[in-house]
Amino acid sequence: MTGPLQIVMGTISVLFLIVASVLAYRAVRAMIRIITTGQPDGSRNGPVGPRLKTLVVESLGHTRMLKWSAIGAAHWFVFLGFYGLFLTLVEAFGEVWNPEWHLPLIGEWSLWNLFADIIGTGTILGILYLIYRRQKDHPRRQGRTSRFAGSNEGRGYFVEAVVLTVGVCILLIRALKVSSDLTDAPGWSHPISGALGSVLPDSPDLLSVVAFIKILVSLTWLVVISRILNMGVAWHRFSAFFNIYFKRNDDGTVALGPLQPMTSNGKPIDFEDPGEDDVFGRGKIEDFTWKGMLDFTTCTECGRCQSQCPAWNTGKPLSPKMVVMDLRDHLYAKAPYLLGEKTAAETAPDYDVLKPSDEQVWASGYARIEGTNDAQAHRPLVGTLEEGGVIDPDVLWSCTNCGACVEQCPVDIEHVDHIMDMRRYQVLIESSFPSEAGVMMRNLENRGNPWGVSPSTRGEWIREMDFEVEVADGPLDYDVEYLFWVGCAGAIDDRAKKVTKAVAELLHTAGVRFAVLGEGETCSGDPARRMGNEFLFQMLAQENVATLDGVFEGRVPGMRKIVVTCPHCFNSLGREYPQVEGHYEVVHHTQLLSQLLEEGRLTPVTPIDRKITYHDPCFLGRHNKVYTPPREILDSVPGLSTQEMHRCKDRGFCCGAGGARMWMEEKIGKRINVERTEEALGLDPDVISTACPFCITMLSDALTSKKQSGEAAEHVEVLDVSQILLRSMAPVGAPGTEAGAEVGTARDDVAGTGSAATEHE
């Protein structure tokens, strides 16, 4: 059935295939060359087995995409259609020459036909739903709150149109084979196309035309993306597999928890004797590792990270999506210089910086310098609009390190690591950071705590306890089960000291023998590290490791137990100190208290008729996946009524204190702690509970301002879960079980028991 029409279309298809294949080969080769200009990173090579397992689970199972169920399901059909129905494109090359042609072996196989029919239909329905969601969530409707704000809409439309057209062509070709009686497959194997074929004409020529259209559209897509290497919305179909395989953690967990050591040329930097050529952080795009460049290339511009970012959601210029997009666009614009194809002048030329349009005023994702030129080669990686910086300083310093972006990214981009590497360069090399943070770092250097108070202050809470608290002086007795790491906030801040006392009281009640370091404790170094001052973190961490190794002298692994109340210390001691040879078994106080409750060593007895909502600290929840123990503690308290906020657990909203933001002024947009407190107050709770001293401070400050403005009832309070548990440990009729209007502000009120209790009018 080959006629002149088929010969013309077949010839054009073959010629177009040759051109598209050559362009695609050159594009892939160029992309590989560009990505491999990045710094080496040998930590991504193995083990192969677990990495392959993660790749299969995340890609075929769509486990990360399905965090958003409907969108994830729609994308799964599109994904499966793209790869699973690739053979229909091969078949189209035969059908354009001869409409009777089938794939050898499987062309008439009933199961293949059923698969193609179902997945082809699913692809059409899936892409139609995704098109609907893009329009529903479009910036013209939602403005800044749209997750697509800042994305390249035209590229998205192009990809959607291609997928829809190809999907329709697949069904049409199959339906025309039925209507033209060109298939012997049983009717049950093509239910959808069979029904469609009943209304289509008997036209083999039309079948060839549709096959030709399918080929043209598919190859046009290939040519377009071959010419636009930074078109992540298309290229992620290939690069995502590699990005998932080479993700930071070979066990498949996301790139949260510990920050990675600073490396230069693929090797950790020795801060006691750094090499002359060592690069501290990322000061130029070429300083990023090849995995960083693969991250930038893979971004789909879906905006999931942006939709969850506390900075973006409170009017700040940081969008994790646009940070990655800006780095990607700069990388590919500067590529000819990185590859040696062009040589930049020694000095930067005069250039005009593009001002943002009205639609871009609130976004960081616009090209301040366009094109490939000497200005692009010389522009600073971090700089203001006037300087033509790729990333604005306000963008860099707005990050709270909450990890919401990394948690949500469907292709495992490591936003936090890249932001922190840029901060490291700004702090260590440029000495450029918010001035108020400099005070914090000087206090850490001189006094060992961010507040700058005397180390002797660390022991004040001990003298206020009704029982003797053992202070370590040399190696601990073997009867001491836990070292209680109090932390800076727990020893210095009045609100956090109440939590320290409550935990100590509960451990004492449960018969857990513990000791503290007292004045021998120094800051864990988390604020310094999250600020970008890796040198200071290393100094503090090594000092603490020496102290801890001293008190744990003679103890084997499994007996070097530490309990902490601060999630930031929990993360540093447990997951970052192994980088400086500090190996301990670190538990958060909620984990230990939950265990003691389960063992029956603690038994809540006093009913507390309170409505409570729990706020997940980012460094306890997302970074370390501790979601259940705090809730188990609250569930154990009789009389409590708990209700979750809309944004909770892995979608929890930050309090605003992480990433060293606790020590920086919040000058842009709405305060993050106010946003979170408003969400909590929307549930009309009596108590906002949490398990982090920084969260307590941030939420309490916001609650106080809400009370002053009359937007919150006077009896509402912010308490740690340990304080609530201690309140319930008191006998009926004890202080804290009667009504009252105080809010736990008395300095000697360990559990906040002087506040409103259980009766409501």
Side-chain angles (χ1 to χ4, degrees), residues 143-150 303 305-322 360-365 395 398 653 672:
R144 197 179 196 278
T145 60
S146 168
R147 66 186 177 97
F148 295 112
C305 57
Q306 179 173 293
S307 72
Q308 303 296 305
C309 177
W312 182 260
N313 277 285
T314 52
K316 297 166 182 63
L318 167 62
S319 158
K321 175 187 72 179
M322 286 188 267
Q360 296 167 330
V361 167
W362 35 259
S364 67
V395 169
S398 291
F653 196 79
I672 295 173

Side-chain angles (χ1 to χ4, degrees), residues 314-359:
T314 52
K316 297 166 182 63
L318 167 62
S319 158
K321 175 187 72 179
M322 286 188 267
V323 166
V324 172
M325 288 170 59
D326 289 346
L327 291 171
R328 176 198 65 197
D329 293 347
H330 175 55
L331 168 65
Y332 282 94
K334 192 177 179 180
Y337 295 92
L338 303 181
L339 296 173
E341 297 170 359
K342 288 189 176 183
T343 303
E346 292 186 4
T347 58
D350 293 331
Y351 54 84
D352 294 324
V353 176
L354 295 179
K355 302 295 183 182
S357 68
D358 290 341
E359 295 178 352

Side-chain angles (χ1 to χ4, degrees), residues 363-623:
S364 67
Y366 55 86
R368 290 172 168 177
I369 297 174
E370 288 188 322
T372 296
N373 46 52
D374 284 5
Q376 188 74 250
H378 279 285
R379 67 188 299 202
L381 188 66
V382 177
T384 62
L385 173 65
E386 292 72 24
E387 295 167 335
V390 179
I391 305 298
D392 195 274
D394 285 336
V395 169
L396 189 67
W397 296 109
S398 291
C399 180
T400 67
N401 279 205
C402 73
C405 50
V406 179
E407 182 68 40
Q408 290 298 326
C409 181
V411 292
D412 287 311
I413 293 171
E414 299 162 5
H415 314 72
V416 172
D417 286 353
H418 302 319
I419 288 173
M420 288 309 307
D421 279 336
M422 288 187 284
R423 280 190 178 186
R424 285 164 162 170
Y425 185 87
Q426 292 302 302
V427 171
L428 296 174
I429 302 300
E430 298 291 340
S431 295
S432 176
F433 47 82
S435 58
E436 61 271 21
V439 177
M440 176 268 290
M441 290 191 286
R442 285 194 298 273
N443 288 337
L444 288 177
E445 288 185 57
N446 299 328
R447 294 297 186 98
N449 66 80
W451 282 272
V453 300
S454 170
S456 62
T457 307
R458 290 183 180 272
E460 289 182 358
W461 71 273
I462 299 175
R463 295 185 284 274
E464 298 168 5
M465 299 303 294
D466 294 333
F467 58 90
E468 182 179 354
V469 176
E470 186 173 346
V471 179
D473 183 15
L476 294 174
D477 291 342
Y478 281 98
D479 290 339
V480 176
E481 188 175 0
Y482 285 94
L483 177 71
F484 182 9
W485 180 276
V486 176
C488 300
I492 298 168
D493 179 76
D494 285 339
R495 285 170 288 204
K497 281 165 69 174
K498 293 176 184 177
V499 179
T500 300
K501 295 176 188 177
V503 172
E505 183 76 40
L506 289 165
L507 294 180
H508 178 69
T509 301
V512 176
R513 188 177 174 191
F514 67 94
V516 299
L517 290 175
E519 296 180 20
E521 195 175 292
T522 299
C523 180
S524 67
D526 172 83
R529 189 170 222 193
R530 297 288 164 172
M531 187 69 200
N533 194 336
E534 184 70 11
F535 179 81
L536 181 54
F537 166 77
Q538 293 281 334
M539 182 180 74
L540 293 169
Q542 290 172 7
E543 180 181 344
N544 281 325
V545 166
T547 300
L548 292 170
D549 284 349
V551 298
F552 287 133
E553 184 179 340
R555 293 197 175 206
V556 298
M559 297 182 63
R560 299 158 67 88
K561 298 180 181 179
I562 301 174
V563 58
V564 301
T565 56
C566 175
H568 298 264
C569 296
F570 176 56
N571 186 67
S572 291
L573 271 65
R575 302 192 66 189
E576 294 184 330
Y577 276 24
Q579 297 171 5
V580 290
E581 301 304 319
H583 301 280
Y584 317 103
E585 297 82 45
V586 185
V587 297
H588 190 254
H589 73 279
T590 57
Q591 294 174 302
L592 180 55
L593 294 178
S594 178
Q595 176 186 329
L596 295 173
L597 285 165
E598 184 179 352
E599 294 172 352
R601 297 168 69 179
L602 291 174
T603 305
V605 293
T606 304
I608 298 180
D609 180 22
R610 308 298 297 279
K611 183 179 180 182
I612 189 168
T613 187
Y614 176 72
H615 162 80
D616 286 284
C618 298
F619 275 76
L620 185 63
R622 261 192 303 270
H623 280 274

Side-chain angles (χ1 to χ4, degrees), residues 157-273:
Y157 295 155
F158 171 72
V159 169
E160 289 168 345
V162 167
V163 173
L164 180 60
T165 303
V166 170
V168 169
C169 286
I170 290 173
L171 276 191
L172 279 177
I173 291 170
R174 297 177 55 75
L176 284 165
K177 283 198 172 183
V178 172
S179 68
S180 303
D181 197 24
L182 297 177
T183 178
D184 295 326
W188 63 264
S189 68
H190 43 71
I192 298 97
S193 56
L196 181 60
S198 65
V199 298
L200 291 179
D202 177 355
S203 178
D205 284 349
L206 180 58
L207 191 155
S208 292
V209 170
V210 175
F212 181 61
I213 293 172
K214 183 180 189 304
I215 292 170
L216 286 185
V217 171
S218 300
L219 295 182
T220 298
W221 176 82
L222 188 60
V223 168
V224 169
I225 71 168
S226 297
R227 304 300 296 167
I228 309 175
L229 298 187
N230 62 349
M231 192 173 174
V233 69
W235 277 108
H236 82 274
R237 294 186 172 197
F238 309 108
S239 61
F241 294 109
F242 299 98
N243 215 49
I244 293 170
Y245 179 85
F246 290 116
K247 66 191 299 184
R248 187 218 280 183
N249 301 323
D250 58 63
D251 62 358
T253 55
V254 294
L256 293 175
L259 277 182
Q260 297 303 286
M262 276 182 58
T263 61
S264 180
N265 199 32
K267 299 178 181 178
I269 295 175
D270 181 355
F271 281 90
E272 294 183 358
D273 185 24

Side-chain angles (χ1 to χ4, degrees), residues 628-666:
T628 304
R631 291 172 169 83
E632 289 178 338
I633 293 172
L634 296 177
D635 289 342
S636 73
V637 176
L640 275 186
S641 170
T642 60
Q643 185 174 355
E644 294 282 9
M645 285 181 268
H646 174 66
R647 294 178 288 196
C648 63
K649 298 182 180 177
D650 64 350
R651 290 199 191 186
F653 196 79
C654 184
C655 76
R661 288 296 318 175
M662 179 80 174
W663 317 104
M664 291 182 258
E665 293 293 332
E666 196 169 347

